[in-house]
Amino acid sequence: MDYYVVDAFTSEIFCGNPAGVCVLENEIPAELMQKIAFENNLSETAFVCKKGERYKLRWFTPGFEIDLCGHATLATAYVITTFVEPEITQIEFETMSGVLKVEKKEKVYEMTFPNRPPKRIETTEKIVDALGLEPLELHSERDLYVIMKTEQEVKAFTPDYDKLKNLHNWLGIVITAPGTDADFVSRYFCPELRLEDPVTGSSHSSLIPMWQEKTGKSKFQAKQLSQRGGVLYCEAGKNEVKISGEAALYLKGSIAISEKW
């Protein structure tokens, strides 16, 4: 199968968030997808296969399948419009989270994702101990959203993954605050994988409505403050959010899988 590595939410390689993209002629078993994702050892590997007028899209971490991934969706859209069907500018993906639409606008890819407003929850001693800090607020959806006062506090956060793993009700831990040169900033930590994700599009399905409620704004420029860093252009809608960014190709090759894998 054709295989690509694309850096998402950036215009240059070695920045943003790298995703593997496997282009399939026919669907393959989930077990094989998981083995490939483990071998690739990227935060996400996307598997995409043409299905009528749409594409079927699935995302795998090295350890498990995930229900929604922004940067790997952007990377897949880049691969399709650059190498597979360069004549198209609009794509629909069938996914575990429903039909996701992506539109190419010159160099920017605008993704339409579900709006997932998080609910505010009480701050408990268990959460404070796991985080090692006292947050302004806590909000819960697929991930735990930890609101801090300043961007500097977000930058200064040091995860203790052994303690963060105790917060097993959530997939990831998101630390966020108003930005100094962005509307809001964030960092994303995955305790199960013991890593910080460089740029996490899916977390913005909840960050956007949360910050919309706090600021009254509907359009944002967001930054994720990982070592690689990334910029996301965001817009809130009633039932959906739009998350936009650029992409850069790092690798193009092929994966050789024998019949007896």
Side-chain angles (χ1 to χ4, degrees):
M1 66 190 72
D2 290 338
Y3 176 64
Y4 305 81
V5 176
V6 177
D7 291 336
F9 296 114
T10 180
S11 59
E12 55 187 88
I13 62 170
F14 307 127
C15 299
N17 200 353
V21 180
C22 294
V23 180
L24 309 176
E25 293 184 5
N26 300 290
E27 293 187 52
I28 61 175
E31 182 184 0
L32 178 54
M33 294 184 193
Q34 188 63 75
K35 287 180 179 291
I36 293 170
F38 180 81
E39 189 81 5
N40 291 346
N41 199 32
L42 293 168
S43 60
E44 260 82 31
T45 296
F47 296 86
V48 64
C49 186
K50 190 71 181 284
K51 186 177 181 182
E53 295 299 314
R54 293 174 174 167
Y55 283 87
K56 188 170 182 180
L57 178 61
R58 298 173 73 173
W59 311 277
F60 287 77
T61 75
F64 48 85
E65 186 171 10
I66 196 170
D67 70 328
L68 184 65
C69 180
H71 81 281
T73 301
L74 194 159
T76 304
Y78 171 88
V79 167
I80 289 172
T81 58
T82 304
F83 300 104
V84 181
E85 291 191 83
E87 69 279 6
I88 67 172
T89 57
Q90 296 184 343
I91 310 169
E92 291 188 352
F93 294 113
E94 294 183 5
T95 77
M96 290 176 65
S97 294
V99 176
L100 304 181
K101 299 178 181 179
V102 182
E103 182 176 359
K104 181 182 180 183
K105 297 182 175 181
E106 295 183 353
K107 295 182 179 180
V108 174
Y109 292 82
E110 181 183 85
M111 303 183 292
T112 301
F113 269 32
N115 188 325
R116 294 178 169 179
K119 295 181 180 180
R120 186 169 179 178
I121 61 173
E122 293 184 3
T123 301
T124 65
E125 290 185 10
K126 177 182 178 181
I127 295 176
V128 170
D129 179 67
L131 295 172
L133 53 79
E134 186 78 35
L136 284 179
E137 296 177 13
L138 293 175
H139 293 250
S140 174
E141 219 281 332
R142 182 195 72 177
D143 305 310
L144 176 65
Y145 293 85
V146 182
I147 300 181
M148 304 302 293
K149 185 176 182 181
T150 67
E151 178 177 315
Q152 185 56 41
E153 290 176 308
V154 176
K155 289 180 178 178
F157 178 73
T158 302
D160 183 333
Y161 288 111
D162 289 331
K163 289 188 174 182
L164 289 181
K165 286 189 73 172
N166 294 325
L167 304 178
H168 48 74
N169 290 335
W170 300 279
L171 178 67
I173 311 299
V174 184
I175 314 294
T176 184
T180 55
D181 59 352
D183 293 298
F184 64 85
V185 297
S186 66
R187 294 173 68 192
Y188 186 101
F189 302 91
C190 186
E192 186 71 23
L193 301 177
R194 303 181 70 89
L195 57 77
E196 178 175 359
D197 195 41
V199 193
T200 316
S202 59
S203 66
H204 288 73
S205 282
S206 295
L207 282 167
I208 293 169
M210 187 177 72
W211 283 111
Q212 180 189 31
E213 182 180 355
K214 291 189 170 299
T215 65
K217 299 174 64 173
S218 60
K219 292 185 178 181
F220 305 91
Q221 182 188 38
K223 288 187 176 181
Q224 197 152 327
L225 303 179
S226 64
Q227 183 176 1
R228 293 172 64 101
V231 178
L232 307 92
Y233 303 97
C234 309
E235 184 175 353
K238 185 177 181 180
N239 298 312
E240 59 191 28
V241 298
K242 292 185 177 179
I243 306 167
S244 303
E246 297 184 54
L249 179 69
Y250 171 70
L251 180 150
K252 180 180 184 296
S254 60
I255 294 177
I257 303 292
S258 73
E259 294 291 333
K260 299 179 180 180
W261 62 270

